[in-house]
Amino acid sequence: MEHAAQLGAVDCLQQCRRVPAAGRSAWARPRQPLFTLHGHRRRLAVRAQAEAGSNGVSGLHLQQQAAVLEQQQRQTHTQHEEDQPGVWTKFVAETLLPTKLGKFRLRGYRHTVDGGRTYTEPSVIISGSPEGLSDVAVRVHDACFTSEVLGSMKCDCREQLELSMQFIRDQPPGMVIYLQQEGRGIGLANKIAAYALQEKGLDTVDANRALGLPDDCREYSAVRHILADLGVSSIRLMTNNPRKLSELASLGITVTGRIPCQVQAQEHNAAYLSSKHRRMSHILNPSMYSDTEDEAEPLQGQFCFWDHEGEPSSAGIPLEAPVPLPEGLDAVGSRPGSILDKVASTISDIASSVGRATIAPGSSSSSSSPDSSPASAANAASVAPPRGGGSSLAGSCGSGSSLDFDDVDDEINQAVSSPASISVANAGAGSSSVTADAGASSGDVGAGIDPGSACVGNAAAGISQGLDGGSSASVGAAEVGTSPISDSGSSGGSSYVSSAGDSGGSSSGAADFGGSGGSDHGSSGGFDFGGGSDFGGGSDFGGGSDFGGGSDSGGGSDW
Ligand SMILES: Nc1nc2c(ncn2[C@@H]2O[C@H](COP(=O)(O)OP(=O)(O)OP(=O)(O)O)[C@@H](O)[C@H]2O)c(=O)[nH]1
């Protein structure tokens, strides 16, 4: 819990996004990076030699070249030329942090996408010295207050965080970039509202949509800045999420491989994981969350992105006074009618319980005819972004800024084939291969697996068998296919797909990460919720009382 509390403190800062202008100058001053420059400078010098022809520093002494490069790095870490105005990330400080999972470096940053009007505070958990290196193992992790602080079992976020910390601890150098993008960017309160709808049977995607919120509105420009700050030229990304791969690639980040980051499901998050697999094309092995083979559904709908001129546009639970909608636009704008039709009746039943009186599909007339109650009218009529700002839902979710995930393969392939957006490989043996991970049934959207870090367990479950040179190859892994993936926990390399335990309600069922070299971090690694013990003695919250008779995630049950 100590560990959770530390991360939780970071997470809680999300609630304080608005930093008064007066406070800005305190951190706006340029600061020297605190990491040791010696080794870094040496690495830069080596790089300087390699790059001497192209960077304008070739006439200088080696050390001077290194200094120039370092200076260039420092300049670019605040803002990239590709960034829209007002997008930058500032390094603030670094400290050492002992945690239950080991000792890490912790670096703090401040990040803005609106010229300093609002901030988030990304942090980076570092093992070893990734400065100046390539192919660094990186987890880009988004805040989840409910699991990381409160120990919620409805998702897999906390387990993934700990899994990745264990990975970088065991195989340094590596880093976890922790971003304050709660609820896939919709914010904590909206996520709670989405949970309220999930209690009634909607899945994680439809709940967001029912609130008029995007499926995912995270933005990752801070990642690029942080990598530049540390001089990390390419990464192996620990993720199951193809969108994250394509998003980072489209920012110009060089992703040379994917390290799967899957944890064993338990009864409270099995349906959630299934939804992520089916609805959002997460590369998950169904055997980790289901007894039955779970076919991936073609993705419907759109993902909405920040346009960086405002905030993620959304409806959700209004923050402030209602903003009148443009004429002809109802509360959910141009959301696809079919999806919302499906859930509209459920929502109207429960809308009042989540503070939103009327939510209606685009095709429905109910939302555009205001409810007579003041609260309903106000809520239904407003489109308030979760983080301030003011662009409209329709604006952000329109064709210009949305990604049609009907064919996510194309999207990723596009990123790969575009020289500007991603470079594949350059990382040793087999570097020219671009390999698909076809392990899970949606695996053709994935990047290759890097067996060098063997972050794939449970070979029998099929992830390791999915390596091929498929035409849907995406973000390539340099070393894919050069060695077998080991079975979880049983052989040499660390396995970072958790495969432990039963899924019968014990929180420790998700606690075993397979172990490094066969050892089990789960039991001693502080992974159990509640400071080493299961909730309710290993079964359910509340000492035996079950959420909805053990089927809350299946929908429709009451707690
Ligand atoms: N809106 C919403 N957000 C959720 C829900 N459950 C977890 N989250 C958030 O989802 C984010 C993590 O995203 P995930 O989709 O789980 O995983 P990911 O980061 O996209 O992909 P991986 O890299 O494979 O973990 C965190 O910010 C959580 O707060 C939910 O039911 N609804």
Side-chain angles (χ1 to χ4, degrees), residues 139 143 160 183 191 198 204 218 239-241 244 272 276:
R139 164 86 182 148
Q160 287 188 304
K191 182 174 133 183
Q198 288 173 37
T204 185
R218 289 173 284 184
T239 187
N240 310 315
N241 182 352
K244 206 182 270 184
Y272 167 74
K276 286 211 295 187

Side-chain angles (χ1 to χ4, degrees), residues 77 101 103 107 117 156 204 226 278 370 388 404 418 504 528 531:
H77 92 259
L101 298 176
K103 289 183 182 151
R107 288 171 71 82
R117 200 162 52 83
D156 58 343
T204 185
I226 288 168
R278 286 182 296 102
D404 182 355
S418 155
D528 284 345

Side-chain angles (χ1 to χ4, degrees), residues 438-460:
S441 55
S442 64
D444 56 350
V445 296
I449 297 167
D450 174 3
S453 46
C455 192
V456 183
N458 202 350

